[in-house]
Amino acid sequence: MARLRLAALLAGHALLFGLCLELAARVDDWLSYGAPLVGAYDAEALQLTDAQGLHRNVPGARFEKWRINALGFRGPERARAKPAGTRRVVCLGQSETFGLHESEGGEWPARLERLLQARHPRVEVLNASTVGPGRWGRLAYLEQYVLPLQPDVVVIYPSVLLDAFTPGPPVPAPASAASWLPSSRVLPKVGQRLRQVVPESLAAPLRLWLVERRVERLEAAALAAGGRRIDDLPEAEAR
């Protein structure tokens, strides 16, 4: 009986400690980003699927360091109509181009704009990237959201992982058995801190293992959706 009381006491203290950490994480989000103390607050708030089934960013959305402008692109506000005399460059890609891990202004399209403007002040670079749309719907996305902005140049940065398979119909995400539970805000923060302190000699093999697992999941999803693996660049795309 004494052991049961001790176990219950330790479990209660652990639960209280976890709740205090979660509350501290939510207060930190509130003070730092103006996030709500209750309810969902995660990167999913940045993304949506439009009426045509196209994956895009939510215009005006905010989450931590990421800011989406009224056009649905990461970066400062830009006019929909291209200003007279302006050369407009649009960058299109996935997380690498969106700048998933870069601070505001650190993503390569923003750096490209600063380099170009040093010589040509009337150049603007728009980052039209989204996180993880793959090849499915890219042409439709380009026609719907990019070409109407009258870009002079479109730079496409393909993802090796997401472009390794032919497109197939989108696969709906499986419903989580615990989807009714509130998402933790402290766990992502703990993960970020761990990535900062783990030695590179340990982090590099772990990243490689995670990439291999991701490739396996992408391949399984693409094949299940009716696609096939691309081992060679199709002749039509090689031109």
Side-chain angles (χ1 to χ4, degrees):
M1 187 63 68
R3 291 183 178 181
L4 288 177
R5 291 198 189 96
L6 179 60
L9 182 63
L10 292 176
H13 280 80
L15 178 61
L16 181 60
F17 180 70
L19 291 175
C20 289
L21 286 179
E22 183 65 30
L23 178 60
R26 290 173 180 264
V27 171
D28 178 57
D29 286 339
W30 174 61
L31 293 175
S32 300
Y33 311 112
L37 288 173
V38 296
Y41 181 69
D42 53 38
E44 294 299 321
L46 298 177
Q47 304 173 26
L48 61 79
T49 301
D50 68 9
Q52 289 75 41
L54 300 178
H55 180 88
R56 67 172 305 209
N57 301 317
V58 178
R62 299 287 186 271
F63 175 68
E64 293 188 355
K65 62 186 177 183
W66 299 290
R67 302 290 184 268
I68 308 300
N69 61 28
L71 295 176
F73 304 154
R74 183 178 184 183
E77 293 294 339
R78 301 297 172 89
R80 182 173 296 275
K82 183 171 63 174
T86 297
R87 307 287 287 180
R88 177 169 278 179
V89 179
V90 176
C91 300
L92 189 62
Q94 283 91 48
S95 56
E96 301 91 344
T97 305
F98 179 83
L100 185 62
H101 301 292
E102 284 72 34
S103 59
E104 189 171 3
E107 63 276 15
W108 71 259
R111 299 187 181 196
L112 175 63
E113 181 177 68
R114 292 195 291 271
L115 291 173
L116 293 175
Q117 288 183 346
R119 295 187 177 184
H120 307 283
R122 300 300 298 274
V123 174
E124 63 178 17
V125 178
L126 279 62
N127 187 353
S129 305
T130 59
V131 179
R135 299 178 65 195
W136 178 264
R138 179 181 295 163
L139 180 59
Y141 176 87
L142 184 69
E143 293 175 344
Q144 179 76 18
Y145 297 109
V146 176
L147 296 185
L149 303 177
Q150 298 180 305
D152 297 285
V153 177
V154 176
V155 180
I156 299 178
Y157 187 105
S159 169
V160 175
L161 293 180
L162 295 179
D163 289 342
F165 309 97
T166 58
V171 180
S176 172
S179 58
W180 56 272
L181 292 173
S183 58
S184 172
R185 296 193 199 173
V186 71
L187 292 180
K189 295 179 184 295
V190 171
Q192 292 174 6
R193 298 300 182 269
L194 288 176
R195 285 193 291 270
Q196 294 173 357
V197 300
V198 172
E200 184 62 22
S201 59
L202 297 177
L206 177 59
R207 285 197 298 267
L208 178 59
W209 182 83
L210 292 174
V211 168
E212 291 174 347
R213 302 291 80 75
R214 186 184 179 198
V215 170
E216 292 175 357
R217 291 194 299 270
L218 287 170
E219 181 176 14
L223 295 177
R228 63 179 180 82
R229 187 181 184 90
I230 298 177
D231 295 315
D232 299 304
L233 185 67
E235 183 178 353
E237 298 185 16
R239 297 193 182 100

